[in-house]
Amino acid sequence: MAGLSTLAKTSDRAFPFAAELMGVLSIAALGMLGFLLFPDDLAFLTRLIGITLLVLSLDLVTGYCGVATLGHAALFGVSAYAVGNACIGGIREPILLLGVGIIAGTIMGAISGALITRFRGLPQLVLSIAIGQLVAALANKLSSVTGGSDGLSGITPDPVLGLFRFDMYSRTAFTFSLIVLAVVFVLLLRFVRSPFGLLCRGIRDDDLRAQMIGATVYPRLVIMYAVSGAVAGVGGALNAMTAGVVGLDSVSFERSAEVLVMLVLGGAGNLWGALFGSVVFQIFEHIVSATNPFHWMTLVGLLLIAIVLFAPRGLSHGVAVLWPKIFKRGGRA
Amino acid sequence: MPAARLEVAGLSAGYGPTQIVQNITFDVPAGGRLAILGRNGVGKTTLLATLMGLSTRHAGSVRIGDVELTRRRTSARALAGVGYVPQSRDVFASLTVEENLATGLKGRSRAALAEAYEMFPRLGERRRHLGGQLSGGEQQMLSMARTMLGQPSLLLLDEPLEGLAPVICDELMSMITRLAGSGDVTVVLVEQQIERALDFADRVLILERGREVWSGAPDALRADRALIERLLGVGIH
């Protein structure tokens, strides 16, 4: 995984198509590894994929545009509720439901972005929390739409392409989610390398410089937020379809904070970092919480402190720095 | 975009309420080359920043060709054809040379990047390097190449030679002269290296305490050493 991440990071800039191929191969390899390591827990891996899409979505605005947000779960949760309601209302085709999630996420992203990106620094962060809390409060109050604290249940999508039924072992859910993740990841690799994506990174570096070469900052950030909403919407849709229920946790502050931690852990401003951070954090949390149910939060906290101390720019950057040194040492030996 | 005439009328500007340049009026014909000279702190950089919409305008107007720029934002001025290469060399440190150049394409295809590498072959050799890893001269080349990829009709250069080795200065000045010589762009150059600026320009404007105190042909200024000594505080050979 580390090797793939490093290789991909290098090739990402040198050989664009190699990066995309590497993306598909890495996700396929991770999926196969997950299938072998957790054959009886594919539901966990499926949930992991949904959250990974949310982390990738957060990376677009936080890592690539420098927007501080602690309310990103709102985009994910609103899409999940929209998909849940659509499914209960009669739209059961999984691909169509993905479309519903994308539309809901895009709209929510555009609205959030239009408000949040008007500000900078602490006001921006506070506004993002306020939007997240507002959505969470609405989700709790509008129980006729969201199921309130009981959650929205009864989400039973049709078989994928009319052929593959969502089974109780989550094989279909996992495979479907993995394919969707691979497609979204490749599209995002291409998107962040486009002049639009590059200018967003330029805005993060110095928005005045970006304006001097003709970039309009605010509309660009709102568009990026809408794209981020679409990606979060895919995650929310998968979550609703594969779990069959949408709970208040999907719009919670804890979810927003957790995905930010995963992004920082992996390395913000790098899609590979977001992927890496999400997978490592969730698997670590899953294993530790199962083996030590009383102190697992302490262990997760210690992991985060270690990462911040020894790899402050995230695991992906740490690996990218260490890999050539290890490789060189190995070569000499 | 073809070269455009620059018209500045009664321009007063500064930062917030502080006025730094006062009542400046000049124009540069399409394809012309104006050098703005003066001692440190007389308002040369503020004047260019004002043309780019980066400071507070108190009075006056700015126009390129038929386009009134006075109330336009910085990004709108860039889209209207103003290219600005600031003193601070505005490269994006976290992007590679190629990515930096791609941000300046303004809708052109990536094939246009070849123009930048032709302009500065050194950038081609460094295309995978991050902007922050380049030397000062390379950053200046990158900044200029990126601006030129946007095909500006007016190019504002703020002390492009500052802090660079003489050989790099020669390379850059030769490129700037070639660009201006093509007639495709109007150039306004602020420069402390007086002789190089006089060699380049077809007209000179001298500022003192934010005001225009002299304007004319480079040869007229060259011929008056006492004036150069008095207004610029340097001698030339």
Side-chain angles (χ1 to χ4, degrees), chain B residues 2-4 28-35 119-120 144 148 152-157 172-189 196-197 199-203:
Chain B
V28 189
R33 314 169 185 191
L34 174 72
M119 193 186 297
F120 295 113
M144 198 175 301
M148 290 311 298
S153 50
L154 169 67
L155 181 62
L156 309 174
L157 299 169
L172 271 169
M173 272 319 290
S174 124
M175 179 46 63
I176 294 168
T177 306
R178 215 177 313 156
L179 283 173
S182 69
D184 293 336
V185 65
T186 305
V187 181
V188 176
L189 171 73
R196 287 185 192 271
D199 287 344
F200 166 77
D202 53 27
R203 191 159 163 254

Side-chain angles (χ1 to χ4, degrees), chain A residues 13-14 193-195 198-199 201-206 208-217, chain B residues 52 54 74-75 78-79 84 86 90-96 99 102-103 106 110 128 130 146:
Chain A
R13 294 179 177 205
R193 268 202 322 270
S194 70
L198 292 173
L199 263 174
R201 285 164 63 192
I203 290 169
R204 179 200 62 192
D205 278 9
D206 188 328
L208 200 58
R209 286 178 186 174
Q211 287 177 57
M212 289 192 290
I213 54 174
T216 46
V217 174
Chain B
M52 198 60 205
L54 295 166
T74 300
S75 54
L79 294 173
Y84 179 48
D90 60 336
V91 302
F92 298 121
S94 70
L95 302 188
T96 64
E99 288 168 343
T103 62
K106 290 185 183 165
R110 277 190 185 249
R128 308 273 174 232
L130 294 176
R146 189 181 60 192

Side-chain angles (χ1 to χ4, degrees), chain B residues 34-39 189 191-207 213-237:
Chain B
L34 174 72
I36 301 178
L37 306 179
R39 296 171 196 256
L189 171 73
E191 186 49 61
Q192 290 286 7
Q193 297 193 26
I194 309 298
E195 288 195 63
R196 287 185 192 271
L198 293 181
D199 287 344
F200 166 77
D202 53 27
R203 191 159 163 254
V204 177
L205 179 77
I206 301 181
L207 299 184
V213 289
W214 189 90
S215 72
D219 288 343
L221 185 62
R222 259 203 193 94
D224 194 341
R225 287 172 186 267
L227 184 73
I228 292 176
E229 184 70 36
R230 181 164 61 82
L231 294 179
L232 304 176
V234 291
I236 62 168
H237 304 293

Side-chain angles (χ1 to χ4, degrees), chain A residues 228-294:
Chain A
S228 167
V231 176
V234 175
L238 285 179
N239 197 258
M241 279 190 279
T242 57
V245 61
V246 183
L248 286 176
D249 61 311
S250 62
V251 288
S252 66
F253 175 80
E254 288 75 13
R255 172 65 51 85
S256 294
E258 199 178 56
V259 292
L260 183 63
V261 167
M262 291 180 207
L263 180 60
V264 172
L265 178 79
N270 176 0
L271 293 175
W272 290 97
L275 183 70
F276 195 30
S278 171
V279 171
V280 168
F281 181 91
Q282 290 185 79
I283 289 181
F284 183 80
E285 190 185 55
H286 185 72
I287 293 172
V288 170
S289 63
T291 50
N292 192 336
F294 300 106

